[in-house]
Amino acid sequence: VAAPRPGGREVELFNDSSFSELRARDQVPDDFIDEGWSLANLQAGGGKGGTLMARAGAYIVKELSPGDHATLLQVTGSYFAHVTGGDTLLCPFYLHFRDVETGRCFFAMRDAVGKGPFIALYDLKGCADDKLIERDGVPIKAVHKRIWNVNMWVNKRSWTAERRQYFQGKVEARGVDVQLTADQRDRCLKSIERDTQWLSQNQLMDYSLLVAIRRAPKGVAAACGGGDGAAQGHRPMLHNTADGGVVSVNVSIIDFLQKWTTGKRVAMALKALERNKATVPPSVYG
């Protein structure tokens, strides 16, 4: 079997004995990202860190910072044991590699929530960093109220229409009530508890719960949403609506390679005036 050549390039693979097993388990071919993307079409993903990424069909390729690369090297064995040992909402990773020519490091994961349009797409951290990403197929532009922008803190009348829309989306996300069946809710909560225990044990923080809500295609029966795998972020959880339609909900934990380090402790101290933020010790998440 030929080794993966992401984007048709020569690469160095890391821990592929583990990732190849995950690919085989989930019926992902070894050449799953050999085509469909290139280094030239990497774009900023929209997060605060400006991580570069590209879509390749049902998968996403993301560039790794040196710190995140080191973290993934360190936790791969534990990650493999965790995701193969029970229900999980952790986004599935299938490849970790370094591009030989440029020296840049990347990983490839499943696009766990798929493409829109979404009724709503939320990025939830359980704090003031919660946000609405998309509403009724329309992306919500992130307009941050940075600590150095004093006018935005003391005078809401100076906010632009985009800032007001972003703020209202954050308020909505903070109080969102995701509709699930009792069984789906129970499985989700058990998976979240199991996952956050693993994340805390590995000193990982600043991750998000991505929640995607969309209308299911016509002819999809809600009964099929409760089968095996529905709590793994791989399959949608479906339920009937009052108007006779079917709504699909995908849930996945993403961006979980941030280690709790001395730098993060300093950042928490610097953000002391910004209450209820995500820069807190891993134990707080669990």
Side-chain angles (χ1 to χ4, degrees):
V1 178
R5 290 181 59 88
R9 301 179 67 86
E10 182 182 356
V11 299
E12 176 187 4
L13 302 180
F14 301 104
N15 294 311
D16 207 52
S17 58
S18 294
F19 291 118
S20 62
E21 284 197 44
L22 293 179
R23 294 195 298 271
R25 182 197 67 171
D26 294 343
Q27 299 182 326
V28 176
D30 287 341
D31 62 355
F32 71 113
I33 57 166
D34 282 9
E35 299 178 348
W37 75 285
S38 71
L39 293 185
N41 65 16
L42 292 169
Q43 297 180 345
K48 290 182 181 179
T51 302
L52 294 177
M53 56 181 282
R55 294 185 181 274
Y59 307 96
I60 294 174
V61 180
K62 295 185 74 172
E63 186 166 11
L64 289 163
S65 68
D68 288 356
H69 168 63
T71 297
L72 186 52
L73 285 175
Q74 180 183 359
V75 305
T76 294
S78 178
Y79 169 81
F80 175 81
H82 180 78
V83 299
T84 58
D87 279 354
T88 179
L89 292 173
L90 295 182
C91 186
F93 292 177
Y94 295 126
L95 199 65
H96 180 195
F97 63 95
R98 175 186 284 122
D99 180 70
V100 171
E101 181 180 348
T102 64
R104 296 160 69 181
C105 294
F106 301 86
F107 74 99
M109 64 183 186
R110 183 187 296 274
D111 183 353
V113 300
K115 295 183 179 180
F118 300 104
I119 297 172
L121 178 62
Y122 299 98
D123 181 328
L124 306 178
K125 292 178 179 286
C127 67
D129 288 332
D130 293 348
K131 61 185 176 182
L132 175 67
I133 299 175
E134 182 177 315
R135 160 67 67 198
D136 294 327
V138 179
I140 306 298
K141 182 179 179 180
V143 183
H144 299 291
K145 186 178 69 172
R146 298 306 193 192
I147 194 169
W148 56 82
N149 195 332
V150 177
N151 195 45
M152 289 187 70
W153 285 81
V154 300
N155 184 11
K156 289 186 178 181
R157 288 177 295 180
S158 68
W159 288 4
T160 64
E162 288 180 333
R163 168 62 192 175
R164 293 179 186 278
Q165 181 187 45
Y166 179 63
F167 176 75
Q168 289 302 319
K170 289 174 69 66
V171 172
E172 176 185 328
R174 206 172 305 161
V176 66
D177 183 12
V178 180
Q179 298 297 310
L180 298 173
T181 67
D183 179 64
Q184 290 166 350
R185 180 180 182 276
D186 182 63
R187 294 188 67 185
C188 259
L189 291 177
K190 287 180 178 178
S191 294
I192 289 172
E193 181 179 10
R194 178 174 179 268
D195 288 337
T196 54
Q197 287 177 354
W198 179 83
L199 291 160
S200 180
Q201 289 167 1
N202 285 276
Q203 291 292 289
L204 299 170
M205 45 82 70
D206 204 17
Y207 46 86
S208 296
L209 187 72
L210 200 60
V211 179
I213 305 170
R214 60 165 69 81
R215 292 177 181 83
K218 291 183 179 180
V220 176
C224 73
D228 291 343
Q232 297 178 358
H234 295 179
R235 298 182 184 176
M237 294 175 286
L238 309 176
H239 65 270
N240 296 314
T241 59
D243 61 3
V246 178
V247 167
S248 164
V249 180
N250 285 82
V251 181
S252 184
I253 296 175
I254 63 169
D255 296 340
F256 51 83
L257 293 177
Q258 288 285 311
K259 275 279 189 179
W260 179 247
T261 62
T262 299
K264 293 298 182 182
R265 293 186 179 91
V266 172
M268 183 176 69
L270 292 175
K271 294 181 179 180
L273 296 178
E274 297 184 76
R275 298 182 178 181
N276 196 25
K277 305 297 283 186
T279 309
V280 293
S283 58
V284 175
Y285 288 79

